[in-house]
Structures are given as C-alpha cells and as structure tokens.
Amino acid sequence: MLNRARHSLFDRYLGISRLLAGQLDFHAIIQAVAQEISHIIPHDHLDVCIKTIDAKYHIAYESGLDTAWSKQPPALLTGSPIRTLLAGDVDFLLSDDACADPRFHFDGAFSRPIIDLSLRSRLHVPLKVQGNIIGALSCSSHERGTYTMEDVECARSIADLLAPYFFALRAAEQAKRSAVVETEARAREEGLRLGALKLTEALEAERQRIGMDLHDQTLADLTRLSRRMERLAAQPDMHADVLEPLCRTLQQCMHDLRQIIEEAKPTVLQLFGVAEAIENHLDRSVRESGQPISWEVTDNSDGLLVGIDQTVAISLFRIVQEAVNNAIRHGQPDTILVRIRQAEQGQLSIEVIDDGCGVPAPGPVAESDRNGHGIDNMKTRARLISARLEISRGSGGTGTTVRLGMTRDLTSRAGGQP
Ligand SMILES: Nc1ncnc2c1ncn2[C@@H]1O[C@H](COP(=O)(O)OP(=O)(O)OP(=O)(O)O)[C@@H](O)[C@H]1O
Ligand SMILES: [Mg+2]
C-alpha cells in the first residue's frame, strides 16, 4: 500500500518534470505544473517568486488566484512577506493562519493579498541552485491548518525539480536583456557617428562655400584695391617709399588668401579623385617647402576608388594631407611615398611612408607638451568613416608610416551602412 503511494508520488514528480520540458517562460511553467503539483500538495493558490540576479528585487508568478503580487513590477526583497526565507534566515515557512501570523506582517511588508484573499494556510520553501537561493515556491489554502511537515518535504522535492529550470531561464533572460542593451548602445553610437558624419559633410560644404565667396568677393576686392594703390604709387606727387611697403603687404595678403581658398576647396579631388588630389598636394607642398624631398604616389587600388562617396573621399584626402604635411614639417625626410592599394578581401589601404626622423615613441605625453591637433583630427576623421588608422615607426625603426585601412563599402556615405 505504502509502495503504491510512493509509486504514484514518483509518477507525479515525473509528470512535473515532463511538463517542464519545452516551457520557455516563467508564467507558462507555473501554469503547466500547478495542476500536477495540486495532486501532491492541494492548494488554492500557488506562486513562485524569483530573485533578480542582483538579489535586490523579486518577481512573482502565480496560478490559481490572481493577486497584486504578480501585477507589481519587480519589488524590493525587503518588502516581501517571506523575506526571511529569501534571505536564507529560515529553511522553510509553515503557517496555519497567515492572516494572523506576525511573521508575514511587518512595517513595509506587501502582505495585503494574504488578507484580501484569505490565504490562511501557507507553506514556503526556497528554490536553491548550488546552495544559492534564487527564489521561493509557495502554496496557500483558504482553510486553516492544511499543511504539515510532510507537505514541506514534498514541496522541497518539487522545488528541487523546478529550481535548475528557473535558474537557466533567469540566466537566459538576463543574457537577452544584456544583448538588447548592447545592441541599443551600438545603435546609439552608430547614430552619433552618422550625425557627426553629416555635420562634417555640412562643414565641408560650408568651407567650400566660404572659399568661393572669398575668391569671388574678397580676392576680387583686394585685387581692385591693389591696382588702385599701384596707380597711386605711380603718380609723381606720391611718396612711393610709403606706399610701396603697403603694396607689398597687400600682395602678401592676397597670396595667403589664395592659399586659404586652395585649401578650402579641394577642386582636384572633386574633379579627378583621391589619388590625383594627393599627388597634387605632395607636388605643391614639397615645392613650397624648399626641401630636396623626392616623392611618389602609386595607385594599385584596381578601381576601388572609382565612384567613392564624396565625404569618404574628402576624409581620406584630408588624412593623407595631414600625414604628408607632418612628414615634411617634422620628419626632414629624403623621400615620401604614398601607396594606395587593394589589400586582402577587397580592403582599401593607403600608406604614407617617409624616411625621416620618425614619430616619437608612443607613451604618456604631458598635456603641456601636446601642441598639435593634426593627429587627433586624423583619428576623428578615420573614426567617422569607420576606417582604421595606425601611425608607427617605419620598418627598421626609421621614418614614419601612416597606415589607413577601410573594410566597409566605400561607395556608401556612411561607410557601409544602408
Ligand atoms: N612624419 C612625422 N615625422 C616625425 N615626427 C612626426 C611625424 N608626424 C608627426 N610627428 C610628431 O607628432 C607630433 C604631433 O603631430 P600633430 O600633427 O598632431 O601636431 P603638429 O603637426 O605638431 O601640429 P598641427 O598638425 O596641429 O599643426 C608632431 O609635433 C611631431 O613631433
Ligand atoms: Mg600636424
């Protein structure tokens, strides 16, 4: 007889185990197993409360009766009527009349559902995984004095069956939440990048507009002024010695302005492309430096730069422009090479190689020692078009190599994003 009872209890546990399989959320599990549990521990209300991973809050899932416990958002553990059990202070809670049991009613306890729904007999056991309490299983009955220590033992066995499943579900939910947070953060970062890229584009357009205005308006005015001054200086009653330096200063101003306009408006880039613009810049910069530097630009990009988006093209050009300027200004090199090529898997690679004195070794640089912004700007521009930028000593420790790599689709404005 006893054997038969044991057998049927064993069958019930197996039934619970079978019902667990394939259930993918807490609520579905409770609904699935509540009926089977009621054959082992009769109840009017059954709930499972699960602690959050930080062990500060808990969430309740219930069956049989709908109470405010499962309707509230994750609630503080300190307000739970079974906080002593959840904290591990007691091994179980058994009450013949929870409505009048002071253990469930204390200042700040959310025990109203016990009174509202007359949950008199109550029994609670912890859900444990590897000795850690992850929540609790609770059964309640409207009748007084329903449960005994034998029911507590049965509840412990059921809790042992449920706990690993709940533990895995909680971990999976946490991983899902983390993935969502990470995806959102990445989307925000990408949004910022695209916003900054748009801004760069607008700034570049504005820069070109100012360049054109300076050319059409200011340079034209200065040219007129210069002619008038030359005519004045030629008049016999004028002091040529006073006007002549003024004329020279004005010529210098116009020269500087032409330079600014040239800088502001990368016409060669727009008309002929990145490689030609780099060549044009190298030629002009080396000539103006007066240094005996030989240079070469090789383009083995196999058409990778054809149809490239204008913003990407301008960024690539400006980065190389600064690398070339740095090489001439700081390196005193004999040669400067710019190598444009298609690297592995269709990636674009641009290298600016000089054989000068070499960049200082990387290391902490005192704020007061950092004057230039060229390299910072190069890095920002590279980030905006999702390019990789490396600045290092050349092979053999001499000179400087600036290496720019792009993996994304160069023809799309955002560097590969649709
Ligand atoms: N090709 C190079 N050869 C030698 N030193 C270099 C080279 N490129 C950069 N450096 C060193 O790195 C420093 C930082 O360069 P960065 O372009 O950031 O500033 P800068 O050229 O001094 O000023 P800015 O570019 O703002 O006019 C330079 O001052 C120089 O010491
Ligand atoms: Mg610089």
Side-chain angles (χ1 to χ4, degrees):
M1 188 68 185
L2 192 66
N3 247 353
R4 269 206 13 227
R6 278 207 182 120
H7 264 291
S8 89
L9 194 59
F10 186 66
D11 282 347
R12 294 288 177 205
Y13 288 139
L14 277 181
I16 292 172
S17 181
R18 265 195 298 273
L19 287 166
L20 278 177
Q23 301 296 343
L24 290 176
D25 71 80
F26 292 106
H27 190 70
I29 292 182
I30 304 302
Q31 300 310 314
V33 299
Q35 178 70 19
E36 199 65 29
I37 292 175
S38 73
H39 292 298
I40 305 169
I41 307 170
H43 58 260
D44 295 308
H45 177 261
L46 174 136
D47 80 83
V48 160
C49 100
I50 301 289
K51 294 203 294 195
T52 52
I53 284 180
D54 61 11
K56 280 194 186 141
Y57 299 91
H58 65 100
I59 306 170
Y61 304 91
E62 55 190 358
S63 160
L65 298 164
D66 277 342
T67 77
W69 281 321
S70 67
K71 293 198 176 61
Q72 62 181 347
L76 276 171
L77 233 54
T78 46
S80 167
I82 56 167
R83 63 180 181 180
T84 49
L85 182 94
L86 290 171
D89 298 339
V90 294
D91 252 3
F92 67 93
L93 283 168
L94 183 61
S95 179
D96 284 340
D97 187 358
C99 294
D101 192 328
R103 288 177 296 173
F104 299 106
H105 309 282
F106 48 86
D107 251 4
F110 187 47
S111 53
R112 217 189 54 227
I114 296 177
I115 313 279
D116 288 354
L117 293 148
S118 298
L119 303 177
R120 296 193 180 277
S121 291
R122 300 206 81 201
L123 115 68
H124 309 267
V125 290
L127 292 163
K128 282 189 182 175
V129 173
Q130 291 174 344
N132 297 319
I133 299 170
I134 65 155
L137 170 69
S138 308
C139 293
S140 308
S141 158
H142 293 313
E143 302 295 320
R144 284 191 182 85
T146 309
Y147 302 124
T148 63
M149 275 312 289
E150 205 178 320
D151 294 310
V152 170
E153 285 314 312
C154 290
R156 277 195 175 123
S157 302
I158 296 168
D160 286 345
L161 266 178
L162 298 179
Y165 218 84
F166 285 138
F167 180 76
L169 261 187
R170 188 180 67 165
E173 284 206 348
Q174 177 67 26
K176 208 159 63 187
R177 264 198 299 275
S178 303
V180 169
V181 168
E182 200 180 308
T183 309
E184 281 173 356
R186 262 206 235 114
R188 262 198 306 276
E189 206 176 279
E190 185 62 6
L192 282 177
R193 193 180 73 82
L194 292 182
L197 195 68
K198 272 217 160 75
L199 196 65
T200 320
E201 204 176 20
L203 283 175
E204 199 64 43
E206 187 60 7
R207 195 179 153 114
Q208 291 180 23
R209 191 190 63 73
I210 292 170
M212 283 189 285
D213 283 357
L214 283 176
H215 179 271
D216 299 347
Q217 180 91 40
T218 318
L219 195 61
D221 288 349
L222 285 177
T223 310
R224 266 195 302 277
L225 193 62
S226 162
R227 291 223 182 92
R228 272 178 62 191
M229 281 179 74
E230 277 167 15
R231 276 200 300 274
L232 268 179
Q235 283 184 12
D237 53 340
M238 277 292 154
H239 294 285
D241 56 332
V242 177
L243 278 179
E244 208 262 330
L246 275 180
C247 283
R248 244 188 298 123
T249 315
L250 195 56
Q251 289 294 337
Q252 186 58 47
C253 280
M254 287 163 67
H255 173 79
D256 292 350
L257 193 58
R258 277 211 181 83
Q259 198 113 338
I260 293 170
I261 292 166
E262 185 72 16
E263 290 274 310
K265 201 166 163 279
T267 351
V268 184
L269 175 66
Q270 284 167 337
L271 292 176
F272 300 105
V274 179
E276 286 77 0
I278 293 172
E279 206 166 316
N280 180 272
H281 177 69
L282 250 169
D283 181 36
R284 202 157 43 87
S285 311
V286 167
R287 256 190 296 114
E288 284 174 5
S289 76
Q291 298 176 42
I293 302 172
S294 62
W295 59 266
E296 192 183 10
V297 178
T298 57
D299 181 3
N300 294 314
S301 58
D302 292 337
L304 207 60
L305 289 168
V306 176
I308 183 177
D309 177 83
Q310 265 304 304
T311 311
V312 176
I314 290 170
S315 297
L316 291 176
F317 171 69
R318 295 268 181 236
I319 293 169
V320 173
Q321 188 180 36
E322 176 59 16
V324 166
N325 291 349
N326 277 351
I328 295 174
R329 226 171 109 195
H330 306 295
Q332 268 94 47
D334 292 328
T335 52
I336 301 176
L337 300 178
V338 178
R339 283 213 303 237
I340 308 169
R341 63 192 172 90
Q342 198 173 124
E344 319 80 65
Q345 294 162 0
Q347 296 180 16
L348 173 75
S349 160
I350 304 182
E351 288 165 314
V352 181
I353 305 162
D354 73 61
D355 59 357
C357 65
V359 271
V365 180
E367 208 50 46
S368 55
D369 291 346
R370 296 202 42 188
N371 301 320
H373 296 289
I375 291 179
D376 288 346
N377 289 350
M378 285 161 84
K379 286 179 181 163
T380 307
R381 284 187 193 277
R383 238 191 340 265
L384 284 173
I385 57 168
S386 300
R388 272 175 294 102
L389 180 77
E390 285 167 34
I391 302 171
S392 58
R393 287 282 179 128
S395 56
T398 53
T400 303
T401 299
V402 175
R403 197 169 283 116
L404 192 59
M406 273 199 86
T407 48
R408 297 193 182 193
D409 177 8
L410 296 163
T411 52
S412 85
R413 198 164 52 75
Q417 294 301 305

